[in-house]
Amino acid sequence: MAISTVSDRVMFTPEALAALTVPGVAERWNAIQERLQPVLAAYAARLSAEASRRFPRIWNLYEIGYRSQRSINRGHGVRDPIDDYYLVIDRPPRGAGVYLAVSGAERLILVAIQVARRRKDDLARVWEESRALWLPLVERIHEVRFANRERASDPAALWIDRYLANRAASSLLAGFAYRWDDPQVFQPAFIERVIEDALALLPLNEALMERAEAREPTGAAWLREQRVAYLTAEEPPIEVIIERIRARGLTVSEQIIRAYHVALRTRPLVILPGISGAGKTRLTRLYADALVGDHLAPGQENERYLLVAVQPDWHSARDLLGYYNAITGKYHPTPFLRFLQRAATDPTARYFVCLDEMNLARPEYYLAPILSAMETDDRLIDLGAPATTVETVAGEVLTNPFRLPSNVSIIGTVNVDESAHALSDKLLDRANVIEMTDVDLEGFRTAYPGAINDAIWKVIVQVHRIVARAGQPFGYRVLSEMLRYIEQSQGILTPEQALDFQIKQKVLPKLRGDDAPRLRRALTELLELLLGAPQSIWKRAAQVETEAVAAAPFPESAEKVRRMLERLDVDGFTDFYG
């Protein structure tokens, strides 16, 4: 579709929309790229030209991105085709953006602003301070979506007031929706309609970004050229590091700690994949603390360690490093860039950055200049500013390009589930990968500070063995929370009742999938354990008597597993919520 003639032709065609109905993961993605992506690219070009004309002072701050996730990860190696495809218009510090989305599941075309939970307070302030300004847009918007589990105090209130007053509502989607069978969708003028929709939402998005910028910490202390008040001494031997980590109660094998220690000495990038709650993030912190040792007082923050929570909407280096605002002529640094500046002023010490859940976004995008700098002798990072020096919003001066300090190690933790992206070979080639999936139950019990009932622990070990064989082991976090729940239930529930609730609340929700031998075996073995009776007695889940469940050692979780197994028999699929 030629951009120069798109205004004389329809934006969407039935063939383009039908790309989202093609069966097969690869087949659907290829159809989307061949039929739907050119439509969105043409729209983006027209939108960009009009936005540059209407909003010349702010448009250069914005970026246009497209959905890059090719499939939906259902777990257990199961991947489904994506149900929607979209482009997003946003800018740092993000948390809100304007979307044009095409949904195959709902047969809708949506133009909407999406506001994340962390921008809800910013929206409240913008609405409070300029209600009259935004009221026409709010009244015009007809497609609004947010969690609405609380009863509205005034059903006639505006949707924005209901959203802001609803404590359970996290993210918000508000804008305009058009059904695929709406005749105007296939008219040449439809592209002008959806451009106008997006440009109507853009000023609200900009107001949220400006409010977020005003709230960001920009303290000058971050960038002062001063050394951290620790003595510069040789690093302790690995035996001392292991002892200090163990003293803090982390149950990780000595082999893992040694491998991590050597990996950090070999490459400045280490990736820790593994199950949730296995101690990945805690290892990064305790290792950094162990190097400081006695120079770190109890409760004192380790200023040589930084934890960065990666956000799903990151898609460029500006999200990690900060960005230059051409309107103000100032640079907005992130805590990560401030941390690098601090490390540069203290070259004899080692500094550590943990990118927590680094694959919630695509690391190849937001880490691109970092990865490139690691491979070059000069280790320079272009900050995107027009001059060789740039002043920050706090008044300091940064050099551009900025030199990546050689005393900084970056560690990324990775959870492998349906919410995350796969890691590319480009990233893996530049990192040491240390998997953390094993759970040392006896080591955990030894290190646990409280008393543990032997009978309860025996059942926990059996449950862990069963779900681990199904590919869903639970980590130390879940173990700790289960035991704390049982401790807190004293005088309210028996230990067996408390464990029964915890199995149902903490373990069973992760079991889901198609009828495969591993899942069926796990559910069957769990039902045998929870009922206290072998399968030879109850035969099939549908034949388990109500009296047998009521008399079971763990009736709550037994009934839930029975229902899950019965659904697996009937539908060939099961999950906790069915």
mmCIF file of all heavy atoms in Angstrom, residues 221-239:
data_model
loop_
_atom_site.group_PDB
_atom_site.id
_atom_site.type_symbol
_atom_site.label_atom_id
_atom_site.label_comp_id
_atom_site.label_asym_id
_atom_site.label_seq_id
_atom_site.Cartn_x
_atom_site.Cartn_y
_atom_site.Cartn_z
ATOM 1 N N ALA A 221 22.647 14.853 44.632
ATOM 2 C CA ALA A 221 23.597 13.993 45.328
ATOM 3 C C ALA A 221 23.965 12.761 44.510
ATOM 4 O O ALA A 221 25.056 12.216 44.658
ATOM 5 C CB ALA A 221 23.010 13.551 46.665
ATOM 6 N N TRP A 222 23.057 12.329 43.634
ATOM 7 C CA TRP A 222 23.337 11.138 42.828
ATOM 8 C C TRP A 222 24.547 11.346 41.922
ATOM 9 O O TRP A 222 25.259 10.402 41.612
ATOM 10 C CB TRP A 222 22.121 10.790 41.981
ATOM 11 C CG TRP A 222 21.048 10.072 42.719
ATOM 12 C CD1 TRP A 222 19.925 10.600 43.246
ATOM 13 C CD2 TRP A 222 21.006 8.680 43.023
ATOM 14 N NE1 TRP A 222 19.184 9.632 43.862
ATOM 15 C CE2 TRP A 222 19.819 8.444 43.736
ATOM 16 C CE3 TRP A 222 21.862 7.610 42.759
ATOM 17 C CZ2 TRP A 222 19.476 7.188 44.188
ATOM 18 C CZ3 TRP A 222 21.510 6.353 43.208
ATOM 19 C CH2 TRP A 222 20.335 6.156 43.912
ATOM 20 N N LEU A 223 24.741 12.546 41.436
ATOM 21 C CA LEU A 223 25.747 12.764 40.405
ATOM 22 C C LEU A 223 27.006 13.457 40.919
ATOM 23 O O LEU A 223 27.878 13.791 40.144
ATOM 24 C CB LEU A 223 25.149 13.589 39.257
ATOM 25 C CG LEU A 223 24.019 12.907 38.491
ATOM 26 C CD1 LEU A 223 23.502 13.803 37.395
ATOM 27 C CD2 LEU A 223 24.502 11.586 37.894
ATOM 28 N N ARG A 224 27.090 13.714 42.196
ATOM 29 C CA ARG A 224 28.296 14.358 42.701
ATOM 30 C C ARG A 224 29.486 13.423 42.575
ATOM 31 O O ARG A 224 29.385 12.223 42.817
ATOM 32 C CB ARG A 224 28.102 14.736 44.177
ATOM 33 C CG ARG A 224 27.137 15.893 44.363
ATOM 34 C CD ARG A 224 26.944 16.198 45.835
ATOM 35 N NE ARG A 224 25.891 17.183 46.019
ATOM 36 C CZ ARG A 224 25.165 17.287 47.121
ATOM 37 N NH1 ARG A 224 25.367 16.466 48.122
ATOM 38 N NH2 ARG A 224 24.236 18.211 47.211
ATOM 39 N N GLU A 225 30.605 13.978 42.261
ATOM 40 C CA GLU A 225 31.811 13.173 42.110
ATOM 41 C C GLU A 225 32.432 12.952 43.483
ATOM 42 O O GLU A 225 33.360 13.636 43.890
ATOM 43 C CB GLU A 225 32.789 13.855 41.158
ATOM 44 C CG GLU A 225 32.244 13.939 39.740
ATOM 45 C CD GLU A 225 33.300 14.376 38.760
ATOM 46 O OE1 GLU A 225 34.462 14.532 39.172
ATOM 47 O OE2 GLU A 225 32.963 14.551 37.592
ATOM 48 N N GLN A 226 31.898 11.980 44.189
ATOM 49 C CA GLN A 226 32.420 11.664 45.501
ATOM 50 C C GLN A 226 32.481 10.151 45.638
ATOM 51 O O GLN A 226 31.682 9.430 45.082
ATOM 52 C CB GLN A 226 31.527 12.238 46.605
ATOM 53 C CG GLN A 226 30.091 11.739 46.542
ATOM 54 C CD GLN A 226 29.252 12.381 47.621
ATOM 55 O OE1 GLN A 226 29.627 13.378 48.206
ATOM 56 N NE2 GLN A 226 28.094 11.790 47.892
ATOM 57 N N ARG A 227 33.432 9.705 46.390
ATOM 58 C CA ARG A 227 33.575 8.277 46.595
ATOM 59 C C ARG A 227 32.603 7.809 47.669
ATOM 60 O O ARG A 227 32.283 8.539 48.595
ATOM 61 C CB ARG A 227 35.004 7.931 47.032
ATOM 62 C CG ARG A 227 36.017 8.130 45.921
ATOM 63 C CD ARG A 227 37.398 7.769 46.425
ATOM 64 N NE ARG A 227 38.394 8.000 45.406
ATOM 65 C CZ ARG A 227 38.754 7.094 44.509
ATOM 66 N NH1 ARG A 227 38.182 5.922 44.508
ATOM 67 N NH2 ARG A 227 39.671 7.380 43.610
ATOM 68 N N VAL A 228 32.173 6.563 47.539
ATOM 69 C CA VAL A 228 31.353 5.972 48.570
ATOM 70 C C VAL A 228 32.223 5.737 49.793
ATOM 71 O O VAL A 228 33.395 5.407 49.682
ATOM 72 C CB VAL A 228 30.743 4.643 48.074
ATOM 73 C CG1 VAL A 228 29.851 4.020 49.129
ATOM 74 C CG2 VAL A 228 29.974 4.882 46.789
ATOM 75 N N ALA A 229 31.626 5.928 50.972
ATOM 76 C CA ALA A 229 32.412 5.897 52.207
ATOM 77 C C ALA A 229 32.698 4.467 52.655
ATOM 78 O O ALA A 229 32.367 4.056 53.770
ATOM 79 C CB ALA A 229 31.682 6.656 53.301
ATOM 80 N N TYR A 230 33.322 3.677 51.775
ATOM 81 C CA TYR A 230 33.781 2.351 52.153
ATOM 82 C C TYR A 230 35.291 2.333 51.995
ATOM 83 O O TYR A 230 35.859 3.016 51.138
ATOM 84 C CB TYR A 230 33.191 1.252 51.252
ATOM 85 C CG TYR A 230 31.693 1.178 51.237
ATOM 86 C CD1 TYR A 230 31.006 0.920 50.061
ATOM 87 C CD2 TYR A 230 30.954 1.354 52.401
ATOM 88 C CE1 TYR A 230 29.637 0.832 50.040
ATOM 89 C CE2 TYR A 230 29.576 1.274 52.387
ATOM 90 C CZ TYR A 230 28.926 1.009 51.211
ATOM 91 O OH TYR A 230 27.567 0.929 51.177
ATOM 92 N N LEU A 231 35.966 1.524 52.810
ATOM 93 C CA LEU A 231 37.406 1.388 52.657
ATOM 94 C C LEU A 231 37.699 0.612 51.386
ATOM 95 O O LEU A 231 37.023 -0.356 51.066
ATOM 96 C CB LEU A 231 37.998 0.656 53.867
ATOM 97 C CG LEU A 231 37.805 1.337 55.227
ATOM 98 C CD1 LEU A 231 38.384 0.463 56.326
ATOM 99 C CD2 LEU A 231 38.480 2.705 55.231
ATOM 100 N N THR A 232 38.705 1.028 50.646
ATOM 101 C CA THR A 232 39.107 0.302 49.448
ATOM 102 C C THR A 232 40.073 -0.788 49.868
ATOM 103 O O THR A 232 41.185 -0.521 50.309
ATOM 104 C CB THR A 232 39.770 1.243 48.438
ATOM 105 O OG1 THR A 232 40.859 1.899 49.078
ATOM 106 C CG2 THR A 232 38.773 2.272 47.949
ATOM 107 N N ALA A 233 39.650 -2.011 49.774
ATOM 108 C CA ALA A 233 40.471 -3.140 50.182
ATOM 109 C C ALA A 233 40.293 -4.265 49.179
ATOM 110 O O ALA A 233 39.384 -4.231 48.346
ATOM 111 C CB ALA A 233 40.079 -3.608 51.582
ATOM 112 N N GLU A 234 41.147 -5.250 49.245
ATOM 113 C CA GLU A 234 41.022 -6.387 48.349
ATOM 114 C C GLU A 234 39.741 -7.143 48.663
ATOM 115 O O GLU A 234 39.276 -7.178 49.794
ATOM 116 C CB GLU A 234 42.234 -7.305 48.513
ATOM 117 C CG GLU A 234 43.536 -6.700 48.036
ATOM 118 C CD GLU A 234 44.673 -7.692 48.108
ATOM 119 O OE1 GLU A 234 44.421 -8.843 48.529
ATOM 120 O OE2 GLU A 234 45.786 -7.323 47.744
ATOM 121 N N GLU A 235 39.181 -7.750 47.634
ATOM 122 C CA GLU A 235 37.953 -8.511 47.837
ATOM 123 C C GLU A 235 38.216 -9.726 48.712
ATOM 124 O O GLU A 235 39.300 -10.317 48.671
ATOM 125 C CB GLU A 235 37.383 -8.949 46.489
ATOM 126 C CG GLU A 235 36.865 -7.804 45.649
ATOM 127 C CD GLU A 235 36.294 -8.287 44.340
ATOM 128 O OE1 GLU A 235 36.290 -9.518 44.123
ATOM 129 O OE2 GLU A 235 35.852 -7.450 43.545
ATOM 130 N N PRO A 236 37.255 -10.133 49.508
ATOM 131 C CA PRO A 236 37.440 -11.316 50.351
ATOM 132 C C PRO A 236 37.505 -12.581 49.508
ATOM 133 O O PRO A 236 36.984 -12.617 48.385
ATOM 134 C CB PRO A 236 36.203 -11.297 51.249
ATOM 135 C CG PRO A 236 35.183 -10.534 50.470
ATOM 136 C CD PRO A 236 35.942 -9.501 49.707
ATOM 137 N N PRO A 237 38.110 -13.628 50.012
ATOM 138 C CA PRO A 237 38.129 -14.899 49.268
ATOM 139 C C PRO A 237 36.725 -15.471 49.139
ATOM 140 O O PRO A 237 35.814 -15.135 49.899
ATOM 141 C CB PRO A 237 39.035 -15.792 50.121
ATOM 142 C CG PRO A 237 39.039 -15.172 51.476
ATOM 143 C CD PRO A 237 38.854 -13.709 51.272
ATOM 144 N N ILE A 238 36.562 -16.382 48.200
ATOM 145 C CA ILE A 238 35.240 -16.930 47.901
ATOM 146 C C ILE A 238 34.643 -17.635 49.115
ATOM 147 O O ILE A 238 33.433 -17.592 49.343
ATOM 148 C CB ILE A 238 35.308 -17.892 46.687
ATOM 149 C CG1 ILE A 238 33.910 -18.435 46.345
ATOM 150 C CG2 ILE A 238 36.286 -19.010 46.930
ATOM 151 C CD1 ILE A 238 32.898 -17.383 45.982
ATOM 152 N N GLU A 239 35.468 -18.261 49.944
ATOM 153 C CA GLU A 239 34.954 -18.939 51.126
ATOM 154 C C GLU A 239 34.277 -17.959 52.083
ATOM 155 O O GLU A 239 33.246 -18.264 52.684
ATOM 156 C CB GLU A 239 36.079 -19.688 51.850
ATOM 157 C CG GLU A 239 36.634 -20.887 51.104
ATOM 158 C CD GLU A 239 37.571 -20.499 49.967
ATOM 159 O OE1 GLU A 239 37.990 -19.312 49.928
ATOM 160 O OE2 GLU A 239 37.865 -21.356 49.128
#
